[in-house]
Amino acid sequence: MAGGGPGGTPSVLVVSPRRRPVRAEVATSVSRVMDGLRVPVIAAPMAGGVSTPELVVAVGAAGGLGFLATGYLSPERVKEQIRRTRALDRCPFGVNLFVPGSPSGADLTEYSRVIERESRAIGVAPGEPRWEDDDYRAKLDLLIADPVPVVSFTFGAPTASDVRRLQRAGSRVVVTVTSPAEARLAEATGADALCLQGIEAGGHRAVFVDDGHSPAGGPAHELLELIRSVRAEIDLPLIAAGGLADGASIAAALAAGATAAQLGTALLRCPEAGTRPAHRKALTEGRATALTRAFTGRPARGLVNTMLSRLSETAPAAYPEVHHLTAPMRAAFAAAGDPEGISAWAGTGSDRTREQPAAGLIDELAEEIASRR
């Protein structure tokens, strides 16, 4: 993944040589990405319907790079999202995969009772707390058979063998990390770049292993500190993520050593995003953000609401079991347009979000970044 300021010389991410021919479309797209992004901005993959083909294409057409999120989608649905993105525009884009962990083994008896009580109060039954691997292997095989320019991973590092398979297919590989220790593990797989997620980031923490007790699930590095620490020992392109919602914060991340900035929260109010109305409403209310396991069993940063405040203290570390347990309750609140019971993921830059088309936002960010250099 390459970046550079508007009008400046782009940083180029060199890829291991491909060992077999790839589709012309993929080879062309990879070449375009390697030439450098016009704007060093990447649209974060946001699972749950927020990252749409329309958002991916709008960011790509404006000079950035968009990502599709495959979390919670079936392989068939992923294939359709990729098809639709290609049909809308030929700009390069990426696809993100969740690396599966292992069943937590946590005792969910008491928390299941709590969620059942909260769910029944709004007229729905709780979900079944179950573990599954999000069809990881099937999605990976799909991306190797039908390559895209960039594939990123969250919640862990892929195996070195899988990284090589993707690279041979023509994709570059990015691994999301939250600490220097995770960065070293990701580098060892042969990844082409790292996405550094600071504690400020909205949505799920990308920790490889949730420690089960600390709010962040592990070390809580602020973004600029994380960039400097990883840059001091790893010579790979670094993508900064966490609390970046304007040109000033992006410029600071680039100055600290990042190649590009990955934005999620900043895009939530764009019309192309699949953000639910209740979530959009909450973003305009000046709410604070907090880390919680209440909705999914994995640390995540979201806007503070009634359920987050009520459930966070007792929520167990059990992902995706808790995600499935609370899904009907969250869906009911969302359908009612009530932000008090949804997982309204957002980072610390939520108070700086803008309601405007993605292309206009990227253009404004490009101007703001340029003015800071």
Side-chain angles (χ1 to χ4, degrees), residues 192-253:
D192 297 300
L194 304 178
C195 179
L196 307 186
Q197 186 195 57
I199 190 63
E200 305 92 336
H204 284 107
R205 296 282 294 150
V207 290
F208 288 10
V209 179
D210 179 4
D211 66 18
H213 59 84
S214 64
H221 295 280
E222 293 185 352
L223 178 59
L224 295 183
E225 168 207 343
L226 183 59
I227 295 171
R228 295 182 184 114
S229 297
V230 174
R231 172 56 65 219
E233 56 180 299
I234 292 179
D235 188 22
L236 285 176
L238 306 179
I239 300 158
L244 305 177
D246 54 29
S249 58
I250 294 170

Side-chain angles (χ1 to χ4, degrees), residues 21-246:
V22 298
R23 267 191 315 116
E25 173 203 342
V26 175
T28 300
S29 295
V30 171
S31 175
R32 286 174 60 194
V33 177
M34 286 177 63
D35 287 341
L37 304 177
R38 185 174 65 79
V39 184
V41 170
I42 296 165
M46 294 176 280
V50 179
S51 290
T52 64
E54 290 76 14
L55 180 62
V56 169
V57 166
V59 171
L65 180 72
F67 262 88
L68 291 174
T70 71
Y72 316 127
L73 298 181
S74 68
E76 293 74 22
R77 182 62 177 148
V78 173
K79 188 173 184 178
E80 170 56 25
Q81 291 262 298
I82 292 172
R83 186 205 64 76
R84 177 158 176 74
T85 302
R86 288 172 173 154
L88 290 171
D89 196 281
R90 308 303 284 184
C91 60
F93 65 96
V95 173
N96 176 260
L97 297 177
F98 284 172
V99 177
S102 303
S104 68
D107 183 355
L108 298 176
T109 305
E110 182 54 36
Y111 199 64
S112 292
R113 291 195 188 105
V114 171
I115 298 302
E116 179 169 15
R117 183 173 64 248
E118 298 289 355
S119 298
R120 299 292 184 189
I122 58 171
V124 297
E128 180 65 30
R130 59 185 175 84
W131 183 88
E132 40 87 20
D133 68 358
D134 200 44
D135 290 315
Y136 175 76
R137 184 56 54 183
K139 293 174 184 178
L140 182 65
D141 289 344
L142 168 65
L143 292 173
I144 290 169
D146 188 14
V148 297
V150 187
V151 177
S152 71
F153 293 85
T154 303
F155 299 162
T159 65
S161 173
D162 286 338
V163 170
R164 288 192 296 271
R165 290 177 69 204
L166 286 164
Q167 290 169 338
R168 285 195 295 267
S171 300
R172 286 182 298 164
V173 176
V174 178
V175 179
T176 309
V177 303
T178 65
S179 69
E182 291 178 350
R184 290 189 290 271
L185 291 172
E187 181 189 34
T189 69
D192 297 300
L194 304 178
C195 179
L196 307 186
Q197 186 195 57
I199 190 63
E200 305 92 336
H204 284 107
R205 296 282 294 150
V207 290
F208 288 10
V209 179
D210 179 4
D211 66 18
H213 59 84
S214 64
H221 295 280
E222 293 185 352
L223 178 59
L224 295 183
E225 168 207 343
L226 183 59
I227 295 171
R228 295 182 184 114
S229 297
V230 174
R231 172 56 65 219
E233 56 180 299
I234 292 179
D235 188 22
L236 285 176
L238 306 179
I239 300 158
L244 305 177
D246 54 29

Side-chain angles (χ1 to χ4, degrees), residues 310-327:
R310 187 181 295 171
L311 302 173
S312 290
E313 188 173 339
T314 58
Y319 177 89
E321 294 94 330
V322 171
H323 163 76
H324 293 299
L325 176 66
T326 67

